[in-house]
Amino acid sequence: MVKIYYDKDADSKILKKKTIAVIGYGSQGAGQAQNLKDSGLNVIVGVRQDGESWAQAKADGLTVMTMSEAAKKADVIQMLVPDEIQGAIYASEIAPNMKKGKALCFSHGFNIHYNQIVPPKDVDVIMVAPKGPGFLVRRTYTEGNGVPALIAIYQDATGKARDIGMAYAKGIGATRAGVLETTFKEETETDLFGEQVDLCGGVTCLMKAAFETLVAAGYQPEIAYFETFHEMKLIVDLIHEGGLSKMWYYVSNTAEYGGLTVGPKIINELSKQAMKEALRRIQSGEFAKEFVLESRANRPVLNALERQENEHQVEKVGKELRSMMKWLNPE
């Protein structure tokens, strides 16, 4: 059984005399940098000079400099720019400033696992991956809690990589909730699989297909939205709180019987074959290659798919209905 590590398992002292550079100030960058600062650690932020993120980080009370300057000054460098541009930024801004004994950190293993970044052998390579978006990493920290995280060590050049990683996890509040040990390979492949097959890909396609089926059968789009989209939060919250057993306990007997008998007919062996194919493409690097090339070509496929998604009927119906639900946006 996997072991979960908490505050008592991490010693912040190892980072007290070190400078941590957070490269990038998006959702994760902002959340992690602010938490590290509030934990009493020496944090600097590296971003594009005079950009929007530069001004925001300064407004948040952080020391800001260019990525190259931050990497040069830092002992621990945390890469929190988007996956698709990490390789280029590392090559131009970070690599020239990687010196023996430094630590290179990530919150997702993509660029290391797929060799988009190949660090020198004399530096530590660590992953601390919060299992939640940056705004939640920040919010839970300010509430005295934290978001669970994964930790992995790819290179331990100094013999202290794990201690540094655990101290970093404590600095962002993750050890308050629990830290699980993994590898760059396992984190990368399971994370991509979850995103594609159920969390972001499978679930949204299932919901849209259900909505389209009801509308095509003549039902009102607004009613179809409630039954296929709006109520999803109720189900997910119950599963999040107490697993499938709690969800089945709280839904009606009709819902339980219908779900348990019809669900396997919708998500069946054909679905599992598609899942296995998605996993094969992730494991082989085929998906990574496709994504990297897509990004280098300025995202033509992704831009088109985003437009199609935004123009889908369910988005228009949902936006209208949500504007009437004042409790969703009380401000």
Side-chain angles (χ1 to χ4, degrees), residues 14-28:
I14 196 169
L15 291 178
K16 286 297 183 182
K17 294 183 179 180
K18 294 184 183 295
T19 298
I20 303 169
V22 172
I23 306 299
Y25 202 71
S27 177
Q28 280 293 339

Side-chain angles (χ1 to χ4, degrees), residues 30-61:
Q32 292 190 31
Q34 290 176 56
N35 289 4
L36 292 166
K37 177 176 176 288
D38 288 352
S39 292
L41 298 173
N42 183 26
V43 187
I44 56 179
V45 173
V47 291
R48 183 171 54 85
Q49 190 165 11
D50 297 328
E52 186 177 330
S53 295
W54 182 288
Q56 185 60 59
K58 271 198 166 183
D60 291 336

Side-chain angles (χ1 to χ4, degrees), residues 15 75-79 102-109 112 119 123-129 150-158 160-169 184:
L15 291 178
D75 304 292
V76 178
I77 301 165
Q78 170 68 302
M79 298 291 292
K102 289 194 176 190
L104 182 64
C105 302
F106 299 85
S107 283
H108 182 34
I112 290 292
V123 303
D124 293 335
V125 181
I126 305 163
M127 176 170 58
V128 177
L150 304 178
I151 185 171
I153 307 303
Y154 184 77
Q155 280 184 189
D156 186 8
T158 66
K160 297 178 180 178
R162 194 176 182 286
D163 293 337
I164 292 170
M166 287 299 300
Y168 186 97
F184 272 69

Side-chain angles (χ1 to χ4, degrees), residues 9 20 68 79 93 124 181 185-186 192 242 250 299-300:
D9 302 306
I20 303 169
S68 179
M79 298 291 292
E93 309 293 332
D124 293 335
E181 200 139 19
K185 178 181 187 295
E186 183 175 58
L192 292 175
Y250 278 100
R299 310 183 353 152

Side-chain angles (χ1 to χ4, degrees), residues 193-242:
F193 180 83
E195 291 168 350
Q196 295 172 25
V197 169
D198 63 331
L199 301 176
C200 303
V203 167
T204 55
C205 283
L206 180 67
M207 293 161 70
K208 283 191 296 183
F211 172 86
E212 292 165 357
T213 300
L214 286 176
V215 171
Y219 297 99
Q220 296 179 74
E222 293 79 8
I223 303 302
Y225 179 86
F226 268 105
E227 299 301 335
T228 60
F229 272 72
H230 180 77
E231 291 191 24
M232 182 63 75
K233 184 180 187 303
L234 166 67
I235 301 304
V236 171
D237 282 351
L238 288 170
I239 294 171
H240 186 263
E241 293 165 8

Side-chain angles (χ1 to χ4, degrees), residues 110-152:
F110 186 96
N111 279 276
I112 290 292
H113 182 55
Y114 293 119
N115 297 312
Q116 298 302 296
I117 293 175
V118 181
K121 295 295 184 183
D122 57 2
V123 303
D124 293 335
V125 181
I126 305 163
M127 176 170 58
V128 177
K131 300 314 291 178
F135 78 87
L136 197 60
V137 171
R138 180 57 179 164
R139 191 182 79 193
T140 55
Y141 180 94
T142 60
E143 294 169 347
N145 301 309
V147 169
L150 304 178
I151 185 171

Side-chain angles (χ1 to χ4, degrees), residues 241-302:
E241 293 165 8
L244 295 175
S245 57
K246 181 171 183 177
M247 184 272 290
W248 291 127
Y249 178 82
Y250 278 100
V251 300
S252 68
N253 291 338
T254 315
E256 182 181 17
Y257 179 79
L260 287 172
T261 56
V262 176
K265 298 175 183 177
I266 306 300
I267 305 300
N268 50 36
E269 284 304 315
L270 285 176
S271 306
K272 287 185 179 179
Q273 287 301 317
M275 292 179 186
K276 290 176 182 177
E277 172 60 13
L279 181 57
R280 183 199 67 76
R281 295 184 71 245
I282 290 167
Q283 292 172 328
S284 69
E286 189 176 330
F287 169 77
K289 179 181 178 181
E290 179 184 314
F291 178 65
V292 169
L293 292 174
E294 165 76 3
S295 302
R296 289 176 182 171
N298 201 27
R299 310 183 353 152
V301 175
L302 184 55

